[in-house]
Amino acid sequence: TKVAIFASGNGSNYEKIMEHIQAGFLDHIEVTGLYTDKRSAFAIERARRFDTPVHVYELRAFDDKAAYETAILEQLKRDGVEWVILAGYMKLVGSTLLDAYEGKMINIHPSILPSFPGVNAVGQALDYGCRVSGATVHYVDSGMDTGKIIDQMSCPIYEEDTEETLQLRIQNLEYELYPRVIKKIIR
Ligand code: GRF
């Protein structure tokens, strides 16, 4: 199955998915491209190491979001992409891409949704005094982290946690959760 991965920044989830493909755990998945909206994304460096073609589309180069997404969609179609995997893609998905991929687009978020959607979910759980947090994989709809939940993993929050230590704990959940969900739902 041909998939595209979208990332705006670090790209560690992208890398973990690639490692699972190489290890044979996701042997039915082919990543046709790493799509990013940030020329400076570290995910681009990671993609080079795995020989994944990189597609940079920066919103400011287009008249509006629809034109931006139309350009992305054309490339996805050229590559025959069936599923889109968001992994740290920091934009709301608009109607152009949703019309083409709704039900075939998933996202991972560092909280137990529906708690703490949007940015800084890790810091918010900590500030709120939560004793557990975790990660959620969900289908993408037009809202901010509001799509149907597919699977979640939880972890404790300790008294001595900082945003960094909690983020690390949650990311380690993500590295297990995302490949597992991808294996289960993408066939
Ligand atoms: C992850 O924590 C994910 O839940 C959120 O963005 C982060 C991306 O991390 N959507 P990385 O770029 O994969 O390292």
Side-chain angles (χ1 to χ4, degrees), residues 7 9-14 46 87-90 107-110 167 170-171 174-175:
N10 184 26
S12 67
N13 277 283
Y14 155 78
R46 299 188 198 258
Y89 177 65
M90 299 302 284
N107 181 45
I108 190 159
H109 182 76
Q167 169 140 352
I170 292 175
Q171 285 238 291
E174 294 184 335
Y175 300 155

Side-chain angles (χ1 to χ4, degrees), residues 86 91-93 98 101-109 111-118 135-152 178 181 185:
L86 307 186
K91 278 185 172 60
L92 273 180
V93 176
L98 274 179
Y101 285 99
E102 194 151 19
K104 298 244 166 162
M105 185 183 286
I106 57 179
N107 181 45
I108 190 159
H109 182 76
S111 78
I112 298 293
L113 289 171
S115 290
F116 311 123
T136 301
V137 177
H138 62 90
Y139 287 103
V140 176
D141 66 12
S142 59
M144 177 89 83
D145 304 316
T146 51
K148 188 176 187 303
I149 291 170
I150 302 168
D151 205 354
Q152 299 179 310
Y178 222 178
V181 169
I185 69 161

Side-chain angles (χ1 to χ4, degrees), residues 23-97:
F25 179 78
L26 294 173
D27 51 4
H28 63 306
I29 299 289
E30 182 195 339
V31 179
T32 68
L34 184 279
Y35 287 69
T36 185
D37 58 331
K38 294 272 181 284
R39 200 164 289 282
S40 57
F42 186 65
I44 295 172
E45 307 296 318
R46 299 188 198 258
R48 293 220 173 90
R49 273 188 263 140
F50 287 93
D51 281 326
T52 303
V54 173
H55 304 291
V56 181
Y57 292 93
E58 292 191 304
L59 180 57
R60 63 165 180 262
F62 297 89
D63 286 343
D64 55 24
K65 183 98 168 246
Y68 159 81
E69 288 199 343
T70 298
I72 293 173
L73 184 56
E74 280 167 2
Q75 182 61 45
L76 292 170
K77 290 262 162 73
R78 273 195 291 277
D79 285 347
V81 169
E82 292 169 69
W83 282 80
V84 173
I85 297 170
L86 307 186
Y89 177 65
M90 299 302 284
K91 278 185 172 60
L92 273 180
V93 176
S95 56
T96 305
L97 283 174

